[in-house]
Amino acid sequence: MIHLTVNGDPKSIETPVTLDAFLTSLGLDPTKIAVERNLAIVPKSTYGETTLADGDRLEIVHFIGGGNTKGDSWSVGGKTYSSRLIVGTGKYKDFQQTAEAITASGAEIVTVAVRRVNVTNPNEPRLVDFVDPKKITYLPNTAGCFTADDALRTLRLAREAGGWDLVKLEVLGDQKTLYPNIVETLSAAETLINEGFKVMVYTNDDPIIAKRLEDMGCVAIMPLGAPIGSGLGIQNPVQIRLIIEQAKVPVLVDAGVGTASDAAIAMELGCDGVLMNTAIAEAKDPVLMAHAMKLAVESGRAAYLAGRMPKKKYADPSSPLYGLI
Ligand SMILES: CC(=O)[C@@H](O)[C@H](O)COP(=O)(O)O
């Protein structure tokens, strides 16, 4: 019988085994841990030829290199995306800067205000000459529409012009708040869905309305974090969480993000993604901010998947084994 200690706990094994086999017998993945044997680090490449002996003291350190979110994709409108950041195309200095920011953001979907951004007129600079619609999904939106009729005309136009049927519906209530007009939004969503559009819908942070839009057939629910263009960050995390908990379609915070931490909070809440425009376009350095937003969305998503520790009322020492080695 061989007696060992593992992180201070006694362990016994019947016959000598290699470190590799021992770690595996503990249910550990030898590629993801580091081991100290009798105060000397064991190189990973020698785990297979290191035979444990009576009296060995092992210290095992887990999760070296951490996890990653590779392969963590999401789908909308029948297409799968790995970036969870959707960016707007308004408010930039020019299309060149728009394109550079989009590249830095890593976004695979960009939203375009059909009535404001030139996509099709060859006599003016066109966004499509800077951002290739074969590589990036264009998501036409109805920015600036205040009635269901306006929104319907705009999106029918978009389908006619570019064949786009995955659309972002936003019907606004007033100029001061740019809050959604929910009555008009519901009516437009119903018509669009009946006409075969796949509707990603901008809405308020009301779980009841969100459910109704989902039941109607919207393919994504996009509650505001704060008023469009305000950069105030997520004002109502509880409501966003309630919307996420009940939804069976993707939920993306849309509007009101001001800086990277706002995007991370949205993702930590469990959102499938974030849509933003102003925070990037009106930053002093839009391209750098686009990069920051990419990292924030990825980091918030990883934190959500990792599962945060519970909040505690009192201190809890970080190194319970301190002094034992
Ligand atoms: C681009 C777009 O669709 C906006 O209407 C959207 O809601 C973004 O809002 P922010 O500019 O606050 O990010």
Side-chain angles (χ1 to χ4, degrees):
M1 183 71 81
I2 291 173
H3 302 281
L4 316 164
T5 60
V6 178
N7 291 358
D9 293 331
K11 281 249 183 292
S12 303
I13 45 179
E14 285 186 5
T15 48
V17 288
T18 63
L19 179 56
D20 209 35
F22 178 65
L23 294 171
T24 308
S25 75
L26 296 179
L28 302 172
D29 177 352
T31 62
K32 291 210 173 107
I33 51 188
V35 180
E36 217 177 50
R37 180 189 186 201
N38 305 327
L39 302 181
I41 293 172
V42 187
K44 235 186 245 308
S45 58
T46 65
Y47 287 1
E49 65 215 44
T50 303
T51 304
L52 297 177
D54 198 36
D56 274 351
R57 294 175 59 200
L58 302 182
E59 282 299 322
I60 299 176
V61 181
H62 296 258
F63 305 128
I64 301 301
N68 68 53
T69 54
K70 261 206 162 83
D72 170 44
S73 54
W74 70 292
S75 302
V76 70
K79 266 184 91 175
T80 299
Y81 300 93
S82 48
S83 168
R84 292 172 179 271
L85 175 57
I86 300 179
V87 294
T89 49
K91 300 183 176 171
Y92 289 94
K93 192 173 72 182
D94 51 31
F95 284 153
Q96 182 58 38
Q97 189 186 55
T98 312
E100 284 168 21
I102 290 169
T103 303
S105 75
E108 295 166 309
I109 305 178
V110 297
T111 186
V112 182
V114 179
R115 291 183 184 276
R116 292 181 183 157
V117 177
N118 180 31
V119 177
T120 49
N121 179 359
N123 303 317
E124 304 272 338
R126 293 180 309 178
L127 183 64
V128 287
D129 296 326
F130 294 81
V131 179
D132 186 352
K134 288 196 200 86
K135 296 193 182 132
I136 301 275
T137 298
Y138 274 50
L139 178 68
N141 71 58
T142 55
C145 294
F146 286 81
T147 65
D149 273 355
D150 265 1
L152 293 175
R153 282 206 316 277
T154 301
L155 293 177
R156 286 171 185 149
L157 209 67
R159 182 148 73 177
E160 206 52 41
W164 294 292
D165 60 0
L166 177 67
V167 294
K168 179 193 152 180
L169 172 65
E170 78 178 43
V171 187
L172 304 172
D174 68 26
Q175 286 286 359
K176 183 176 176 188
T177 64
L178 298 182
Y179 266 38
N181 179 326
I182 294 301
V183 176
E184 295 290 300
T185 300
L186 288 165
S187 149
E190 188 164 34
T191 307
L192 288 168
I193 291 162
N194 287 338
E195 292 182 12
F197 285 93
K198 297 166 192 154
V199 181
M200 300 176 73
V201 63
Y202 165 71
T203 182
N204 55 19
D205 52 19
D206 176 346
I208 308 300
I209 294 297
K211 190 74 200 138
R212 179 118 175 245
L213 287 162
E214 178 178 343
D215 290 346
M216 205 177 248
C218 288
V219 297
I221 306 299
M222 304 208 286
L224 53 81
I228 292 174
S230 69
L232 287 171
I234 297 175
Q235 297 298 296
N236 226 333
V238 174
Q239 311 238 135
I240 302 285
R241 180 174 53 76
L242 290 171
I243 292 173
I244 293 166
E245 275 174 12
Q246 70 187 6
K248 294 190 178 59
V249 295
V251 175
L252 297 92
V253 156
D254 173 4
V257 165
T259 189
S261 51
D262 300 330
I265 288 170
M267 297 309 295
E268 286 172 11
L269 284 169
C271 281
D272 296 279
V274 182
L275 188 156
M276 67 179 75
N277 187 173
T278 312
I280 297 177
E282 291 191 354
K284 282 204 184 101
D285 183 338
V287 177
L288 187 56
M289 184 57 90
H291 176 64
M293 291 301 186
K294 173 183 191 290
L295 300 179
V297 167
E298 287 172 1
S299 130
R301 176 67 183 171
Y304 170 73
L305 292 176
R308 66 154 296 145
M309 61 163 283
K311 290 184 181 175
K312 298 174 191 172
K313 276 171 92 177
Y314 303 106
D316 181 6
S318 297
S319 311
L321 294 177
Y322 181 75
L324 288 183
I325 301 171

